C-alpha cells in the first residue's frame, strides 16, 4: 500500500471532499462506511471514499482511497495517487479565480458561500455516460446503487488492503451482459439503452471521449447518438467528465431556479434556455455555479427574499 497527503494549502480555494463527491455529480466513488448519498445537504465530512481507476490510467485497475482531514487530503492506494486525484477531483482548478469570475446574485452567492471548496469532478467518460443514462427519473442514491451493482456483477475484482473491490465494467464487459441481466440490476427500461451504448463503445462505433475538443453545442449533439442520451444527459457527461465547464444541465433543480430566480432565461427550448442560463451563471465557468446551485437547492438551502 502507498500512502500520502495532499496539503490543503496547495489547493487554490481549498476543497470540500464530501460536498464534491456527494453533490449528485459523481457515481464513481463509494463511502467506506456505506452511507454514500444517505443525506442531501452534506459538506465537511471526514469519511473515506474509494474508487477503482480504469485501466486507461496506468494499464492496471488501481484502487484509490481518500479522506479529508484538517491538513488536506489523506490517501491510500495501490499506486501513487497524487496524479489520479488531481485529475479526478480537478485539484488544479483555482476556485478563488473561478469565484471572482462568477456574477453576483442572492441565489448564486448563497450557494457558493454554503459549499466553499466544492469542486467539479472529472470522472471516466464511459462510467459517467452509463450513470447518467441510468439517471432518468431516479434519485441520486438509486443511481449510485445501480452503478455499484453493475460493478459487482460485471466488473473486474481488485484486491486491496484485505478487501475486494470491483471496477466499473469495461464497455466490452457490459456489452456481454444481456438485457435481462441488466434488468436484474434494477435498470428497468434503461437496460436496452445501456446494452446498446456498451455495444457502440465496445465496437468503436461511437466513443464518448471523442466529443472532447468539439465546439460545446456540437459536442452535446455528438453524445446524443447514444440511446437514452438527450440534451440534459449529454450536458452531464460534458460537465462531469469531459471538461466542458460551461455546461449547465437543465435538471429539475435548475429548472426550478430558472422559474423562480431567472425567469428571463426561460426561452421555450432547451438550446435557447441553456444559452441564456449559461450567460446568467457566468459563461465560461457556469457549470461550477450549476453544481453549487443544484447541491444547495437539493439540500433545502434558503434563498434571500430579494433573489
Amino acid at each position: 500500500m502507498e500512502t500520502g497527503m495532499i496539503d490543503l494549502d496547495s489547493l487554490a480555494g481549498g476543497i470540500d471532499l464530501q460536498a464534491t463527491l456527494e453533490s449528485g455529480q459523481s457515481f464513481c466513488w463509494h463511502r467506506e462506511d456505506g452511507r454514500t448519498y444517505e443525506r442531501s445537504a452534506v459538506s465537511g465530512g471526514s469519511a473515506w471514499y474509494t474508487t477503482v481507476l480504469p485501466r486507461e490510467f496506468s494499464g492496471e485497475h488501481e484502487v484509490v482511497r481518500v479522506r479529508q482531514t484538517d491538513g488536506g487530503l489523506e490517501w491510500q492506494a495501490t499506486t501513487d495517487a497524487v496524479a489520479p486525484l488531481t485529475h479526478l477531483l480537478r485539484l488544479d482548478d483555482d476556485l478563488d479565480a473561478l469565484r471572482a469570475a462568477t456574477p453576483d446574485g442572492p441565489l448564486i452567492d448563497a450557494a457558493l458561500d454554503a459549499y466553499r471548496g466544492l469542486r467539479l469532478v472529472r470522472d471516466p467518460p464511459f462510467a459517467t455516460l452509463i450513470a447518467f443514462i441510468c439517471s432518468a427519473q431516479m434519485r441520486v442514491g438509486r443511481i449510485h446503487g445501480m452503478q455499484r451493482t453493475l460493478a459487482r456483477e460485471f466488473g473486474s475484482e481488485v484486491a486491496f488492503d484485505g478487501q475486494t473491490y470491483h471496477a466499473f465494467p469495461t464497455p466490452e464487459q457490459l456489452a456481454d451482459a444481456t438485457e435481462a441481466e441488466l434488468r436484474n440490476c434494477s435498470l428497468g427500461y434503461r437496460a436496452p439503452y445501456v446494452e446498446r451504448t456498451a455495444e457502440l463503445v465496445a465496437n468503436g462505433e461511437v466513443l464518448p471521449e471523442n466529443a472532447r475538443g468539439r465546439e460545446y453545442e456540437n459536442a452535446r449533439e455528438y453524445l446524443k447518438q447514444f440511446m437514452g442520451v438527450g440534451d440534459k444527459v449529454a450536458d452531464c457527461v460534458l460537465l462531469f467528465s469531459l471538461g466542458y465547464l460551461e455546461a449547465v444541465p437543465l435538471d429539475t433543480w435548475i429548472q426550478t431556479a430558472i422559474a423562480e430566480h431567472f425567469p428571463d432565461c426561460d426561452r421555450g427550448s432547451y438550446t435557447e434556455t441553456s444559452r441564456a442560463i449559461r450567460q446568467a451563471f457566468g459563461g465560461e465557468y457556469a457549470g461550477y455555479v450549476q453544481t453549487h446551485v443544484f447541491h444547495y437547492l437539493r439540500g433545502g438551502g434558503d434563498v434571500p427574499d430579494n433573489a
Side-chain angles (χ1 to χ4, degrees), residues 104-266:
D104 294 325
L107 174 59
I108 293 174
D109 290 344
L112 293 177
D113 288 344
Y115 296 106
R116 290 183 179 273
L118 191 166
R119 291 176 177 265
L120 287 174
V121 296
R122 192 189 280 118
D123 280 341
F126 180 66
T128 305
L129 176 63
I130 296 300
F132 283 99
I133 286 175
C134 292
S135 70
Q137 299 178 326
M138 278 289 167
R139 293 177 288 105
V140 291
R142 287 285 306 281
I143 302 165
H144 181 261
M146 287 179 180
Q147 306 317 296
R148 294 275 295 166
T149 300
L150 290 174
R152 184 176 63 251
E153 294 298 321
F154 307 111
S156 300
E157 293 185 351
V158 187
F160 174 61
D161 194 25
Q163 300 182 57
T164 299
Y165 294 87
H166 293 84
F168 191 79
T170 64
E172 294 76 16
Q173 288 172 324
L174 211 50
D176 284 341
T178 66
E179 181 180 332
E181 289 173 326
L182 293 172
R183 287 184 180 274
N184 286 338
C185 295
S186 301
L187 267 63
Y189 70 85
R190 305 159 194 82
Y193 302 163
V194 169
E195 180 183 38
R196 180 56 181 153
T197 293
E199 290 172 350
L200 287 173
V201 179
N203 295 333
E205 297 177 52
V206 189
L207 303 176
E209 55 266 32
N210 284 353
R212 191 185 285 118
R214 300 169 185 259
E215 185 274 330
Y216 163 60
E217 291 186 358
N218 289 338
R220 187 167 65 198
E221 289 302 312
Y222 176 87
L223 291 176
K224 287 163 65 176
Q225 296 178 84
F226 294 106
M227 285 185 66
V229 176
D231 291 312
K232 191 207 79 170
V233 169
D235 271 340
C236 289
V237 178
L238 293 174
L239 179 59
F240 304 133
S241 178
L242 299 180
Y244 286 78
L245 302 187
E246 70 268 44
V248 177
L250 301 185
D251 53 58
T252 300
W253 292 107
I254 299 304
Q255 293 282 15
T256 297
I258 291 171
E260 296 182 1
H261 309 294
F262 301 93
D264 291 345
C265 291
D266 187 351

